[in-house]
Amino acid sequence: MTARTAIVTGGASGIGEAISRRLAKEGKQVAIFDLNAEAAQATAASIQEQGGNAIGLQVDVTDRAGIESAVDKVRSNLGRPSILVNSAGLALDGPFLETTQESWKTSIAVNLTGTFDCCQVVIPHMVDEGWGRIVNISSSSFHSGAPGLAGYVAAKSGVVGLTKVLAREFGKLGITVNTVPPGFIDTPMFRRTVDSGFVDLAAQTAATPVGRIGEPEDIAVTCSFLISEEASYITGQVFGVNGGRNM
Ligand code: NAI
């Protein structure tokens, strides 16, 4: 069988990068979609150096036309995409009463509508393939709430609902759709929240049953399982990967 082609949004940093690297190591052809063109190309080049097959494309998931043209490029360069991991995300907001319309709309646009658009553009290729796997990266804050992150948590909760709808609409066509809401994972995004004082690393580590913060690879291994051939009976599910913080 020809190697399957995967698209990983936000694939140039943190969780998305770990997923891109893992899928490439497992023989998938990987297209990295990221706002940061340089980082997307550098990650793809590094995967190629290690013997994998990857391309890096500058894509803003809030730009529907840009997604469509990038998916066309994937189709012609790597073949029909049948795996999609939506990891592009942004946590901003601030105290609720100070949250501006602009910040709310940006949170929803990147974290929720970006996932909707990528799914809507890629799913027809999966339908043609008669097989597909989607993993949407939401956030454990959907279980617990998070003060100061109204737009982000609302968007990530929406991602969980969207996942369930897509699982029901496309299950009979061989396409599974699941969501992974990560707990605290040591990435550049997480480090920014620690450096700004928003997250107390020692307190959060102590409050985690397994006694550590997660690594991007903890999420990558979960994605690798969910996109496998053998995971065909698993769809519409929420796979918490959070060290036991949310049960
Ligand atoms: P990160 O900041 O290290 O990586 C995010 C990537 O998304 C970056 O490469 C960035 O350039 C890209 N990106 C941002 N906006 C984009 C846009 N409009 N279009 C395309 N690419 C865009 O963040 P991290 O931690 O790896 O986060 C990955 C996902 O995991 C996000 O969806 C985040 O919300 C989620 N998450 C992360 C947690 C953590 O503790 N690190 C916890 C819960 C959820």
Side-chain angles (χ1 to χ4, degrees), residues 43-230:
T43 305
S46 151
I47 287 173
Q48 297 271 16
E49 275 162 27
Q50 289 161 16
N53 191 9
I55 57 172
L57 298 172
Q58 182 176 30
V59 180
D60 179 347
V61 297
T62 67
D63 169 15
R64 173 71 179 229
I67 296 168
E68 286 169 359
S69 113
V71 171
D72 285 347
K73 277 187 201 144
V74 172
R75 179 80 181 88
S76 46
N77 288 306
L78 296 180
R80 187 188 279 147
S82 59
I83 297 166
L84 171 66
V85 180
N86 286 297
S87 186
L90 190 65
L92 29 121
D93 307 319
F96 181 69
L97 293 178
E98 292 162 30
T99 301
T100 61
Q101 281 273 318
E102 196 192 350
S103 138
W104 169 268
K105 284 180 183 165
T106 302
S107 285
I108 302 293
V110 176
N111 296 298
L112 179 57
T113 312
T115 298
F116 164 85
D117 279 322
C118 289
C119 288
Q120 207 176 48
V121 174
V122 176
I123 285 175
H125 295 280
M126 298 177 171
V127 172
D128 288 348
E129 184 82 4
W131 189 96
R133 297 281 185 269
I134 299 177
V135 179
N136 294 322
I137 306 298
S138 48
S139 163
S140 65
S141 59
F142 118 87
H143 298 281
S144 56
L149 285 175
Y152 179 78
V153 175
K156 292 297 191 178
S157 302
V159 166
V160 174
L162 175 65
T163 298
K164 294 182 181 186
V165 171
L166 297 182
R168 288 195 182 274
E169 284 201 27
F170 295 101
K172 290 199 172 59
L173 301 178
I175 300 167
T176 69
V177 191
N178 292 289
T179 182
V180 175
F184 291 117
I185 308 293
D186 197 355
T187 67
M189 178 193 278
F190 175 71
R191 285 286 154 184
R192 284 191 294 275
T193 64
V194 172
D195 294 346
S196 68
F198 188 73
V199 169
D200 179 337
L201 180 55
Q204 295 302 340
T205 305
T208 304
V210 303
R212 70 171 174 90
I213 295 299
E215 295 298 327
E217 188 56 30
D218 292 315
I219 308 302
V221 70
T222 311
C223 277
S224 159
F225 169 63
L226 290 173
I227 60 125
S228 66
E229 305 290 330
E230 295 86 345

